[in-house]
PDB file of all heavy atoms in Angstrom:
ATOM      1  N   SER A   5      72.351 133.702  66.418  1.00  0.00           N
ATOM      2  CA  SER A   5      72.628 132.368  66.024  1.00  0.00           C
ATOM      3  C   SER A   5      71.418 131.789  65.198  1.00  0.00           C
ATOM      4  O   SER A   5      70.325 131.750  65.633  1.00  0.00           O
ATOM      5  CB  SER A   5      72.758 131.529  67.260  1.00  0.00           C
ATOM      6  OG  SER A   5      72.890 130.132  66.849  1.00  0.00           O
ATOM      7  N   LEU A   7      70.843 128.887  64.655  1.00  0.00           N
ATOM      8  CA  LEU A   7      70.325 127.635  65.147  1.00  0.00           C
ATOM      9  C   LEU A   7      68.852 127.771  65.467  1.00  0.00           C
ATOM     10  O   LEU A   7      68.118 126.787  65.385  1.00  0.00           O
ATOM     11  CB  LEU A   7      71.141 127.227  66.293  1.00  0.00           C
ATOM     12  CG  LEU A   7      70.853 125.906  66.934  1.00  0.00           C
ATOM     13  CD1 LEU A   7      71.017 124.736  65.964  1.00  0.00           C
ATOM     14  CD2 LEU A   7      71.708 125.594  68.177  1.00  0.00           C
ATOM     15  N   SER A   8      68.492 128.914  65.867  1.00  0.00           N
ATOM     16  CA  SER A   8      67.080 129.227  66.278  1.00  0.00           C
ATOM     17  C   SER A   8      66.233 129.754  65.177  1.00  0.00           C
ATOM     18  O   SER A   8      65.082 130.130  65.306  1.00  0.00           O
ATOM     19  CB  SER A   8      67.056 130.155  67.434  1.00  0.00           C
ATOM     20  OG  SER A   8      67.749 129.637  68.573  1.00  0.00           O
ATOM     21  N   HIS A  28      76.069 134.060  63.493  1.00  0.00           N
ATOM     22  CA  HIS A  28      76.636 132.934  64.113  1.00  0.00           C
ATOM     23  C   HIS A  28      76.015 131.641  63.501  1.00  0.00           C
ATOM     24  O   HIS A  28      74.822 131.434  63.576  1.00  0.00           O
ATOM     25  CB  HIS A  28      76.316 132.988  65.638  1.00  0.00           C
ATOM     26  CG  HIS A  28      77.089 131.955  66.520  1.00  0.00           C
ATOM     27  ND1 HIS A  28      78.432 132.035  66.805  1.00  0.00           N
ATOM     28  CD2 HIS A  28      76.675 130.832  67.075  1.00  0.00           C
ATOM     29  CE1 HIS A  28      78.747 131.056  67.592  1.00  0.00           C
ATOM     30  NE2 HIS A  28      77.732 130.230  67.702  1.00  0.00           N
ATOM     31  N   ASP A  30      76.185 127.535  63.738  1.00  0.00           N
ATOM     32  CA  ASP A  30      76.577 126.495  64.615  1.00  0.00           C
ATOM     33  C   ASP A  30      76.623 125.210  63.728  1.00  0.00           C
ATOM     34  O   ASP A  30      75.657 124.628  63.231  1.00  0.00           O
ATOM     35  CB  ASP A  30      75.544 126.262  65.739  1.00  0.00           C
ATOM     36  CG  ASP A  30      75.624 127.324  66.753  1.00  0.00           C
ATOM     37  OD1 ASP A  30      76.743 127.567  67.283  1.00  0.00           O
ATOM     38  OD2 ASP A  30      74.520 127.962  67.056  1.00  0.00           O
ATOM     39  N   MET A  32      77.329 121.390  63.825  1.00  0.00           N
ATOM     40  CA  MET A  32      77.345 120.207  64.757  1.00  0.00           C
ATOM     41  C   MET A  32      77.361 118.906  64.009  1.00  0.00           C
ATOM     42  O   MET A  32      76.643 118.805  62.986  1.00  0.00           O
ATOM     43  CB  MET A  32      76.121 120.324  65.629  1.00  0.00           C
ATOM     44  CG  MET A  32      76.005 121.610  66.416  1.00  0.00           C
ATOM     45  SD  MET A  32      74.675 121.507  67.666  1.00  0.00           S
ATOM     46  CE  MET A  32      74.560 123.208  68.082  1.00  0.00           C
ATOM     47  N   HIS A  61      80.904 128.422  64.123  1.00  0.00           N
ATOM     48  CA  HIS A  61      81.257 127.835  65.450  1.00  0.00           C
ATOM     49  C   HIS A  61      81.193 126.324  65.191  1.00  0.00           C
ATOM     50  O   HIS A  61      80.115 125.668  65.159  1.00  0.00           O
ATOM     51  CB  HIS A  61      80.197 128.228  66.517  1.00  0.00           C
ATOM     52  CG  HIS A  61      80.348 127.566  67.908  1.00  0.00           C
ATOM     53  ND1 HIS A  61      79.407 127.663  68.834  1.00  0.00           N
ATOM     54  CD2 HIS A  61      81.410 126.883  68.396  1.00  0.00           C
ATOM     55  CE1 HIS A  61      79.810 126.999  69.878  1.00  0.00           C
ATOM     56  NE2 HIS A  61      81.028 126.489  69.650  1.00  0.00           N
ATOM     57  N   MET A  63      81.307 122.769  66.206  1.00  0.00           N
ATOM     58  CA  MET A  63      81.190 121.811  67.396  1.00  0.00           C
ATOM     59  C   MET A  63      81.274 120.381  66.764  1.00  0.00           C
ATOM     60  O   MET A  63      80.321 119.626  66.569  1.00  0.00           O
ATOM     61  CB  MET A  63      79.858 122.031  68.033  1.00  0.00           C
ATOM     62  CG  MET A  63      79.895 123.223  68.980  1.00  0.00           C
ATOM     63  SD  MET A  63      78.228 123.871  69.304  1.00  0.00           S
ATOM     64  CE  MET A  63      77.982 124.801  67.784  1.00  0.00           C
ATOM     65  N   MET A 132      81.929 129.141  76.156  1.00  0.00           N
ATOM     66  CA  MET A 132      80.498 128.610  76.102  1.00  0.00           C
ATOM     67  C   MET A 132      79.836 128.833  77.532  1.00  0.00           C
ATOM     68  O   MET A 132      80.407 128.553  78.557  1.00  0.00           O
ATOM     69  CB  MET A 132      80.537 127.110  75.853  1.00  0.00           C
ATOM     70  CG  MET A 132      80.901 126.716  74.468  1.00  0.00           C
ATOM     71  SD  MET A 132      79.905 127.474  73.209  1.00  0.00           S
ATOM     72  CE  MET A 132      78.219 126.803  73.598  1.00  0.00           C
ATOM     73  N   VAL A 134      76.766 127.672  78.095  1.00  0.00           N
ATOM     74  CA  VAL A 134      75.931 126.528  78.185  1.00  0.00           C
ATOM     75  C   VAL A 134      76.732 125.311  77.649  1.00  0.00           C
ATOM     76  O   VAL A 134      77.823 125.520  77.043  1.00  0.00           O
ATOM     77  CB  VAL A 134      74.576 126.578  77.368  1.00  0.00           C
ATOM     78  CG1 VAL A 134      73.683 127.713  77.849  1.00  0.00           C
ATOM     79  CG2 VAL A 134      74.878 126.638  75.874  1.00  0.00           C
ATOM     80  N   GLU A 135      76.225 124.075  77.914  1.00  0.00           N
ATOM     81  CA  GLU A 135      76.961 122.931  77.262  1.00  0.00           C
ATOM     82  C   GLU A 135      76.539 122.957  75.770  1.00  0.00           C
ATOM     83  O   GLU A 135      75.395 123.176  75.465  1.00  0.00           O
ATOM     84  CB  GLU A 135      76.381 121.588  77.862  1.00  0.00           C
ATOM     85  CG  GLU A 135      76.889 121.291  79.320  1.00  0.00           C
ATOM     86  CD  GLU A 135      78.445 121.162  79.346  1.00  0.00           C
ATOM     87  OE1 GLU A 135      79.111 120.964  78.282  1.00  0.00           O
ATOM     88  OE2 GLU A 135      79.031 121.245  80.500  1.00  0.00           O
ATOM     89  N   PRO A 136      77.585 122.917  74.867  1.00  0.00           N
ATOM     90  CA  PRO A 136      77.232 123.037  73.459  1.00  0.00           C
ATOM     91  C   PRO A 136      76.402 121.968  72.987  1.00  0.00           C
ATOM     92  O   PRO A 136      76.416 120.794  73.533  1.00  0.00           O
ATOM     93  CB  PRO A 136      78.590 122.869  72.852  1.00  0.00           C
ATOM     94  CG  PRO A 136      79.581 122.342  73.813  1.00  0.00           C
ATOM     95  CD  PRO A 136      79.016 122.712  75.158  1.00  0.00           C
ATOM     96  N   GLY A 137      75.491 122.238  72.016  1.00  0.00           N
ATOM     97  CA  GLY A 137      74.623 121.226  71.513  1.00  0.00           C
ATOM     98  C   GLY A 137      73.243 121.734  71.143  1.00  0.00           C
ATOM     99  O   GLY A 137      72.714 121.315  70.100  1.00  0.00           O
ATOM    100  N   PHE A 138      72.663 122.609  71.954  1.00  0.00           N
ATOM    101  CA  PHE A 138      71.274 122.965  71.787  1.00  0.00           C
ATOM    102  C   PHE A 138      71.103 124.465  72.063  1.00  0.00           C
ATOM    103  O   PHE A 138      71.727 124.966  72.967  1.00  0.00           O
ATOM    104  CB  PHE A 138      70.374 122.072  72.524  1.00  0.00           C
ATOM    105  CG  PHE A 138      70.426 120.684  72.235  1.00  0.00           C
ATOM    106  CD1 PHE A 138      71.287 119.801  72.858  1.00  0.00           C
ATOM    107  CD2 PHE A 138      69.776 120.104  71.156  1.00  0.00           C
ATOM    108  CE1 PHE A 138      71.462 118.467  72.489  1.00  0.00           C
ATOM    109  CE2 PHE A 138      69.783 118.787  70.735  1.00  0.00           C
ATOM    110  CZ  PHE A 138      70.788 117.970  71.469  1.00  0.00           C
ATOM    111  N   GLY A 139      70.171 125.109  71.413  1.00  0.00           N
ATOM    112  CA  GLY A 139      69.744 126.405  71.724  1.00  0.00           C
ATOM    113  C   GLY A 139      68.755 126.317  72.894  1.00  0.00           C
ATOM    114  O   GLY A 139      68.333 125.268  73.277  1.00  0.00           O
ATOM    115  N   GLY A 140      68.473 127.489  73.453  1.00  0.00           N
ATOM    116  CA  GLY A 140      67.488 127.611  74.431  1.00  0.00           C
ATOM    117  C   GLY A 140      67.726 127.097  75.837  1.00  0.00           C
ATOM    118  O   GLY A 140      66.882 126.911  76.609  1.00  0.00           O
ATOM    119  N   GLN A 141      69.040 126.929  76.155  1.00  0.00           N
ATOM    120  CA  GLN A 141      69.370 126.464  77.503  1.00  0.00           C
ATOM    121  C   GLN A 141      69.637 127.584  78.459  1.00  0.00           C
ATOM    122  O   GLN A 141      69.873 128.751  77.972  1.00  0.00           O
ATOM    123  CB  GLN A 141      70.600 125.594  77.382  1.00  0.00           C
ATOM    124  CG  GLN A 141      70.475 124.371  76.464  1.00  0.00           C
ATOM    125  CD  GLN A 141      71.852 123.522  76.568  1.00  0.00           C
ATOM    126  OE1 GLN A 141      72.090 122.856  77.436  1.00  0.00           O
ATOM    127  NE2 GLN A 141      72.645 123.711  75.513  1.00  0.00           N
ATOM    128  N   ASP A 170      78.556 132.605  74.485  1.00  0.00           N
ATOM    129  CA  ASP A 170      77.529 131.777  73.579  1.00  0.00           C
ATOM    130  C   ASP A 170      76.685 130.849  74.498  1.00  0.00           C
ATOM    131  O   ASP A 170      77.260 129.920  75.067  1.00  0.00           O
ATOM    132  CB  ASP A 170      78.287 130.935  72.511  1.00  0.00           C
ATOM    133  CG  ASP A 170      77.330 130.253  71.609  1.00  0.00           C
ATOM    134  OD1 ASP A 170      76.099 130.442  71.625  1.00  0.00           O
ATOM    135  OD2 ASP A 170      77.926 129.500  70.798  1.00  0.00           O
ATOM    136  N   GLY A 171      75.430 131.160  74.509  1.00  0.00           N
ATOM    137  CA  GLY A 171      74.502 130.276  75.265  1.00  0.00           C
ATOM    138  C   GLY A 171      73.787 130.974  76.333  1.00  0.00           C
ATOM    139  O   GLY A 171      74.325 131.507  77.311  1.00  0.00           O
ATOM    140  N   GLY A 172      72.408 131.022  76.207  1.00  0.00           N
ATOM    141  CA  GLY A 172      71.553 131.697  77.175  1.00  0.00           C
ATOM    142  C   GLY A 172      71.743 133.222  77.261  1.00  0.00           C
ATOM    143  O   GLY A 172      71.338 133.813  78.253  1.00  0.00           O
ATOM    144  N   ILE A 173      72.244 133.805  76.277  1.00  0.00           N
ATOM    145  CA  ILE A 173      72.454 135.245  76.315  1.00  0.00           C
ATOM    146  C   ILE A 173      71.145 135.837  75.934  1.00  0.00           C
ATOM    147  O   ILE A 173      70.496 135.546  74.808  1.00  0.00           O
ATOM    148  CB  ILE A 173      73.506 135.746  75.260  1.00  0.00           C
ATOM    149  CG1 ILE A 173      74.781 135.193  75.795  1.00  0.00           C
ATOM    150  CG2 ILE A 173      73.502 137.275  75.262  1.00  0.00           C
ATOM    151  CD1 ILE A 173      75.403 135.711  77.076  1.00  0.00           C
ATOM    152  N   VAL A 190      76.608 136.019  71.473  1.00  0.00           N
ATOM    153  CA  VAL A 190      75.827 135.266  70.483  1.00  0.00           C
ATOM    154  C   VAL A 190      74.420 135.058  71.197  1.00  0.00           C
ATOM    155  O   VAL A 190      74.314 134.897  72.369  1.00  0.00           O
ATOM    156  CB  VAL A 190      76.462 133.757  70.367  1.00  0.00           C
ATOM    157  CG1 VAL A 190      75.479 132.863  69.522  1.00  0.00           C
ATOM    158  CG2 VAL A 190      77.843 133.888  69.864  1.00  0.00           C
ATOM    159  N   ALA A 191      73.387 135.200  70.463  1.00  0.00           N
ATOM    160  CA  ALA A 191      72.053 135.071  70.923  1.00  0.00           C
ATOM    161  C   ALA A 191      71.130 134.375  69.844  1.00  0.00           C
ATOM    162  O   ALA A 191      71.005 134.857  68.728  1.00  0.00           O
ATOM    163  CB  ALA A 191      71.475 136.374  71.322  1.00  0.00           C
ATOM    164  N   GLY A 192      70.720 133.227  70.182  1.00  0.00           N
ATOM    165  CA  GLY A 192      69.836 132.444  69.252  1.00  0.00           C
ATOM    166  C   GLY A 192      68.387 132.671  69.579  1.00  0.00           C
ATOM    167  O   GLY A 192      67.670 133.448  68.888  1.00  0.00           O
ATOM    168  N   SER A 193      67.832 131.983  70.642  1.00  0.00           N
ATOM    169  CA  SER A 193      66.431 132.109  70.910  1.00  0.00           C
ATOM    170  C   SER A 193      65.989 133.518  71.294  1.00  0.00           C
ATOM    171  O   SER A 193      64.906 133.941  70.938  1.00  0.00           O
ATOM    172  CB  SER A 193      66.056 131.146  71.999  1.00  0.00           C
ATOM    173  OG  SER A 193      67.059 131.104  73.032  1.00  0.00           O
ATOM    174  N   ALA A 194      66.880 134.337  71.976  1.00  0.00           N
ATOM    175  CA  ALA A 194      66.557 135.716  72.330  1.00  0.00           C
ATOM    176  C   ALA A 194      66.337 136.538  71.057  1.00  0.00           C
ATOM    177  O   ALA A 194      65.593 137.593  71.129  1.00  0.00           O
ATOM    178  CB  ALA A 194      67.587 136.323  73.241  1.00  0.00           C
TER     179      ALA A 194
HETATM  180  C1  DX5 B   1      74.751 125.990  71.397  1.00  0.00           C
HETATM  181  C2  DX5 B   1      75.095 126.888  70.310  1.00  0.00           C
HETATM  182  C3  DX5 B   1      74.590 128.293  70.424  1.00  0.00           C
HETATM  183  C4  DX5 B   1      73.090 128.376  70.415  1.00  0.00           C
HETATM  184  C5  DX5 B   1      72.712 129.438  71.402  1.00  0.00           C
HETATM  185  O1  DX5 B   1      75.578 124.872  71.394  1.00  0.00           O
HETATM  186  O2  DX5 B   1      76.568 127.050  70.228  1.00  0.00           O
HETATM  187  O3  DX5 B   1      75.225 129.170  69.474  1.00  0.00           O
HETATM  188  O4  DX5 B   1      72.530 128.736  69.180  1.00  0.00           O
HETATM  189  O5  DX5 B   1      71.372 129.496  71.589  1.00  0.00           O
HETATM  190  P1  DX5 B   1      70.609 130.266  72.708  1.00  0.00           P
HETATM  191  O6  DX5 B   1      71.073 131.780  72.549  1.00  0.00           O
HETATM  192  O7  DX5 B   1      69.216 130.070  72.433  1.00  0.00           O
HETATM  193  O8  DX5 B   1      71.141 129.820  73.981  1.00  0.00           O
END
Side-chain angles (χ1 to χ4, degrees):
S5 170
L7 185 60
S8 298
H28 188 80
D30 288 305
M32 304 188 190
H61 176 196
M63 285 158 276
M132 289 304 299
V134 297
E135 286 299 338
F138 299 94
Q141 303 182 77
D170 182 8
I173 297 295
V190 177
S193 41

